[in-house]
């Protein structure tokens, strides 16, 4: 099994980086093939180029500048995204990774009549989203209606990998998180990853 963990926080000493490394260690201990992609540490450029955008309807897509990241995504059976939610949205570097890597010919195909796109990530069967945010849970759920969860689930994953199971786990009020509440969250995310790493049963 191939696991891709994408971390998107500018600080190497951040809670997000700690969580990403914890999940990577857990996946390695289970014997899986794990890639931990720290977008900031790897200097990933989130800016979609004019050439890339110009080839969205060309064959083949010109993704030479991000070929390594495209190969990582194409191999992944389990994808884990670890990032902070800022202004109720994705960090720019993570949005750029989606813009530049989830591209035609890899993540999806355009319909011949320019209708709905068709997902191509048939090997991706589990997506686990781990995020932290300063807002309380009631604001995320009741006021904002979980925008990050909705965009990732319905705007990205279910379009490109409709068969993939999607899990969203958020740690709210992160600035004043207690050690006990952090431990409970860590148990939740490790349990979610353990479930994602279980082999698919017959008929699934």
């Amino acid at each position: 099994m191939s696991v891709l963990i994408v971390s998107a926080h500018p600080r190497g000493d951040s809670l997000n980086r700690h969580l990403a490394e914890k999940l990577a260690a857990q996946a390695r201990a289970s014997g899986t093939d794990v890639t931990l992609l720290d977008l900031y540490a790897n200097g990933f450029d989130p800016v979609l180029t004019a050439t890339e955008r110009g080839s969205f309807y060309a064959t083949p897509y010109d993704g030479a500048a991000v070929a390594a990241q495209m190969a990582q995504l194409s191999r992944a059976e389990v994808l884990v995204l670890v990032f902070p939610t800022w202004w109720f949205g994705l960090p720019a570097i993570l949005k750029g990774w989606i813009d530049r890597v989830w591209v035609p010919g890899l993540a999806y195909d355009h319909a011949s009549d320019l209708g709905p796109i068709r997902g191509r990530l048939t090997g991706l069967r589990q997506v686990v989203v781990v995020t932290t945010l300063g807002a309380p849970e009631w604001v995320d759920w009741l006021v904002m209606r979980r925008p990050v969860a909705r965009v990732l689930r319905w705007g990205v994953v279910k379009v490109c990998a409709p068969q993939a199971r999607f899990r969203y786990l958020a740690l709210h009020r992160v600035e004043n998180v207690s050690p006990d509440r952090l431990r409970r969250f860590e148990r939740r995310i490790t349990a979610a990853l353990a479930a994602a790493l279980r082999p698919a049963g017959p008929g699934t």
Side-chain angles (χ1 to χ4, degrees):
M1 183 182 298
S2 179
V3 179
L4 173 60
I5 300 175
V6 180
S7 175
H9 196 289
R11 293 186 60 112
D13 60 352
S14 67
L15 174 58
N16 278 258
R17 178 68 192 196
H18 163 75
L19 297 175
E21 290 179 346
K22 184 178 186 69
L23 294 172
Q26 176 187 352
R28 292 189 187 103
S30 72
T32 60
D33 174 24
V34 180
T35 298
L36 174 56
L37 172 60
D38 185 320
L39 295 175
Y40 280 98
N42 280 267
F44 181 79
D45 185 352
V47 179
L48 183 71
T49 69
T51 298
E52 289 166 348
R53 181 56 192 169
S55 67
F56 260 53
Y57 292 91
T59 303
Y61 174 80
D62 184 0
V66 290
Q69 291 83 5
M70 290 172 65
Q72 291 166 349
L73 178 62
S74 70
R75 290 193 303 267
E77 296 171 73
V78 176
L79 172 65
V80 183
L81 304 177
V82 185
F83 60 92
T85 292
W86 289 331
W87 297 108
F88 294 98
L90 301 176
I93 200 168
L94 182 57
K95 177 59 165 60
W97 177 76
I98 295 172
D99 288 344
R100 299 188 70 200
V101 177
W102 293 62
V103 294
L106 172 64
Y108 64 90
D109 287 322
H110 290 290
S112 58
D113 62 355
L114 299 184
I117 62 178
R118 296 184 295 269
R120 287 180 58 102
L121 293 176
T122 56
L124 182 59
R125 61 181 189 83
Q126 300 276 350
V127 176
V128 179
V129 173
V130 176
T131 189
T132 60
L133 59 165
E137 191 170 10
W138 69 268
V139 173
D140 188 27
W141 278 75
L142 299 179
V143 178
M144 302 302 294
R145 300 180 184 273
R146 295 204 308 169
V148 168
R150 286 189 291 109
V151 166
L152 287 176
R153 181 171 189 168
W154 300 110
V156 180
V157 174
K158 289 303 180 182
V159 174
C160 298
Q163 73 290 333
R165 185 184 182 195
F166 182 90
R167 292 289 307 277
Y168 171 82
L169 302 107
L171 180 62
H172 298 84
R173 295 180 291 112
V174 69
E175 284 87 355
N176 63 352
V177 64
S178 67
D180 183 60
R181 189 158 64 88
L182 178 57
R183 281 192 295 270
R184 291 199 303 271
F185 184 70
E186 289 180 339
R187 286 196 294 268
R188 286 182 61 209
I189 66 174
T190 55
L193 180 58
L197 294 176
R198 292 190 193 108
T204 60

